[in-house]
Amino acid sequence: MAQLRALIAEDETILSLTLIKHLEKLWPELRICGVVENGVAAVQEALAQLPDILFLDIKMPGKTGLEVAQELAEEWTDDKPFPLIVFVTAYDDYAIDAFEHAASDYVLKPVSEERLSKTVKRLQTRLDDGQERSGELERVVAQLRNLMPGVGTLGYANQAGVNQAGVASGDAKTTEKLTIIRAAVGNQTRMIRIDDVLYFEATDKYINVVTAEHSSLIRVSLRELLPQLDSNQFWQIHRSTVVNSQCIHSAHRDESGKLSLKLIDRDEKLAVSRVYAHLFRQM
């Protein structure tokens, strides 16, 4: 059996060194194949290294541990079992939530050798169970759905205020849903009816708002936008895509099993990730 490898994603150097020290003592056969300090690097390194175990800090720069887990669930290769995930966090409530819904286990900061010893035993038991490990990706995907059952339920704060794009953000709370989006286009402000939006596509710092007539960029994040959309009308189908369900023509699965959507009177296909594929099961 090949040597088991673990990747650590932790932005506090002292904590990652402590974790390594305890693991070397408790599990000397385990090889630490890398240590990264932010969520973006965690995704890149995990996809490059394909580790067996992933220690994920819940709150990291770039992406949270849950966001990393979601992106890996979408991008992971079919040729390698999905890694067992251990969330590392300073927040007990958050950790328990993660443990119940999406993690193989969790450990609280500062990491104690005693608690990590229990985690190591759990991981070893699960790794010895080949059948269970083969279904790890499906298990994590199913459990991530419990955290992300639909638009606006990602557990992010419901924030309000108005930014330059005309989309609520800031410190005040709101429960109102968007009816109009204001997008700056040169010297004009384009008023976009929410019912005219075909889909939203997130880029690095912007969201592309696509209608039948045009595309417009607004400076807002998807996590700010999602709580302000009607979840019955707008469905998140990928970590970066939210589609108007009334504009969907059909869903297609290709030979490799990947799902995509065709919209009414449109040529482009929108990819559906594993996390949201359940939205298109037959009734």
Side-chain angles (χ1 to χ4, degrees), residues 58-157:
I58 285 284
K59 295 190 70 174
M60 290 183 290
K63 297 178 186 291
T64 69
L66 288 175
E67 289 171 333
V68 171
Q70 182 190 3
E71 191 163 340
L72 291 179
E74 294 172 354
E75 303 295 337
W76 197 259
T77 176
D78 294 331
D79 300 330
K80 173 82 175 181
F82 197 69
L84 303 184
I85 295 177
V86 178
F87 285 124
V88 183
T89 179
Y91 302 95
D92 196 20
D93 290 345
Y94 205 166
I96 290 173
D97 192 39
F99 175 59
E100 290 179 345
H101 292 288
S104 296
D105 201 355
Y106 76 95
V107 290
L108 287 174
K109 298 178 182 179
V111 178
S112 72
E113 184 177 318
E114 180 181 5
R115 178 63 182 84
L116 187 61
S117 175
K118 294 179 181 178
T119 293
V120 166
K121 290 178 181 175
R122 288 173 179 165
L123 292 171
Q124 291 173 333
T125 298
R126 299 192 63 198
L127 288 166
D128 288 340
D129 188 338
Q131 184 175 1
E132 180 176 356
R133 193 185 177 197
S134 66
E136 185 66 15
L137 175 57
E138 288 74 18
R139 191 184 72 83
V140 171
V141 166
Q143 292 172 331
L144 282 170
R145 286 172 188 153
N146 290 332
L147 290 176
M148 295 170 280
V151 172
T153 55
L154 285 166
Y156 300 127

Side-chain angles (χ1 to χ4, degrees), residues 9-12 36-44 56-71 94 156 203-205 221-223 239:
E10 168 61 65
D11 66 322
E12 298 179 63
V36 296
E37 297 181 348
N38 63 72
V40 175
V43 172
Q44 294 173 345
L56 279 180
D57 186 5
I58 285 284
K59 295 190 70 174
M60 290 183 290
K63 297 178 186 291
T64 69
L66 288 175
E67 289 171 333
V68 171
Q70 182 190 3
E71 191 163 340
Y94 205 166
Y156 300 127
T203 59
D204 186 22
K205 296 180 180 178
S221 69
L222 203 56
R223 73 169 62 177
R239 67 179 184 279

